[in-house]
Amino acid sequence: MTKVVIIGGGPGGYEAALVAVQLGADVTIVDRDGIGGACVLTDCVPSKTLIATSVRSTYVREAARLGIDVAESDGRPGVSVDLTTVNARVKRLAQAQSDDTAARVVKEGVEVIPGEARLVDPRIVAVGDRRIHADVVLVATGAHPRELPSARPDGERILTWRHLYDLDRLPEKLIVVGSGVTGAEFANAYQGLGSEVTLVSSRERVMPTQDADAAEVLEGVFRRLGMTVLSKTRAESVTNTGDGVLVTLSDGRTVEGSHCLMTVGMIPNTADLGLEEIGVRLDDGGFVQVDRVSRTSTSGVYAAGDCTGVNMLASVAAMQGRIAMWHALGEAVSPLKLSTVASTVFTHPELASVGATEGDVRSGRIDARVVNLPLDTNPRAKMTNSKDGFVKLICRQHTGIVMGGVIVGPRASELILAVSVAVQQRLTVDDLAHTFAVYPSLSGSVTEAARSLMQASPE
Ligand SMILES: Cc1cc2nc3c(=O)[nH]c(=O)nc-3n(C[C@H](O)[C@H](O)[C@H](O)COP(=O)(O)OP(=O)(O)OC[C@H]3O[C@@H](n4cnc5c(N)ncnc54)[C@H](O)[C@@H]3O)c2cc1C
């Protein structure tokens, strides 16, 4: 029986464990914080739970436009959020999800050892004094928030997202440093909960890695709802002043707030694991270098998830972990394909995307046609007062094969599946256009976008 030892019980680790037991291996997970990992306990699951509350508050605040009477205070629709209750729910839900996942892996026959692991040999994992021999090792140790020396989080006023759920009151004036996906999600979430928010962005627009049209729509929404977005400037330092924070910007300006949330990237959890000592190559940022079947440079040692920096998403971590096990245990396996990964920024409205981008088309990397259909022409969007957003579809110039798409709108995370299926299955815009969408529905805009990309057949 092949002995598999997995270091880290996040999605990269536990999904791999489930595949390995299914294939008959003897599997142990060593994890120091809890099954489900940072994904379930501190990052993805808690943030999306908080965002669910924020989105509901925004809906209530906007309900008057749909004819619903909402009691007003100070001339504003009266929504107030009890952050203690919200955070208690967030933590309860995260812990329950971790417990469910732990119960599932144990039920499937995986041994779970709580503790901190390190490799003393490619075939030996150490946990305290214990030595566990392995035929195959999977490193899935995740990552932690990057900190700036001049803005060290103190957990009181200067925070990382992992401190947020310990707050007992809503920050009155929240300054969010960093306008990537995490920064944008939290800035928008706290705006929805009722905080006054300033977002510090080092770039010209927020979310520079996302579709430019989508980022523009979202920045417009943020600003319209009162967020201050400071562009093309960096936080040089952040100081806790006792009853607030003072953020000094690279252009000399200062911003005062009650709290500052730092979202300036992630550092892989690869130090002190003994990786380089056993020949596992790391890149300059400390990320484990892997190939498309999750192999490291050391035979028998695989790596998956955020510690590889390949694409820091739970779904990608899980797929890398599964692929590692299929490969290690001799199953037929397709290498990881990043061109079909769907992802969402959970702002309100949501921004979901998959596959090729308009940037790929503009740069000439692919020969394709693009359509952008604003949501404000969609009847369902009008009914629900969801005017901000669009459906963008990209298809190959000659064949019409769908190569990618972007959806900005309510529940875009759900709507994108139709485009994902099309990209994965190499469907054409004709295939999508001939698919029935419900009338009236937001997904009707996906089929309509496909119809507008159809071309008359040559005579
Ligand atoms: C705020 C935020 C929101 C996010 N939202 C989403 C989202 O909506 N959708 C999405 O797909 N992704 C999201 N992500 C990304 C997602 O959380 C990560 O991609 C995912 O957690 C990666 O899984 P992983 O298994 O690599 O690592 P993790 O989930 O970090 O798990 C790693 C585990 O390894 C353990 N560990 C580390 N070192 C050791 C050691 N030496 N010994 C034993 N155990 C160890 C840790 O304790 C942890 O339990 C979000 C990230 C952040 C920061």
Side-chain angles (χ1 to χ4, degrees), residues 221-237:
V221 173
F222 294 175
R223 288 182 190 273
R224 194 177 70 223
L225 296 178
M227 191 187 298
T228 305
V229 181
L230 302 172
S231 310
K232 292 204 279 188
T233 188
R234 289 174 183 278
E236 288 285 302
S237 67

Side-chain angles (χ1 to χ4, degrees), residues 11 47 89 91 136 159 193 217 256 288 312 380-381 406 427:
S47 66
R89 175 173 183 266
K91 288 190 200 173
V136 174
L159 314 166
L193 293 172
V217 168
E256 287 179 34
V288 182
M312 292 171 118
R380 186 78 187 279
V406 181
L427 302 181

Side-chain angles (χ1 to χ4, degrees), residues 7-14 30-45 47-48 115-118 140-143 161-162 165 182 185-186 266 269 271-273 304-307 311-318 344 346:
I7 307 178
Y14 77 74
V30 185
D31 187 274
R32 67 174 181 210
D33 292 317
I35 297 296
C39 175
V40 168
L41 289 164
T42 56
D43 295 357
C44 175
V45 169
S47 66
K48 262 77 268 185
E116 180 131 8
R118 67 188 306 276
T141 48
W161 57 86
R162 293 185 182 174
Y165 311 107
T182 303
E185 282 188 359
F186 280 119
M266 301 282 283
N269 296 330
D272 307 324
L273 267 178
D306 283 6
C307 68
N311 187 346
M312 292 171 118
L313 289 173
S315 52
V316 174
T344 294
F346 287 84

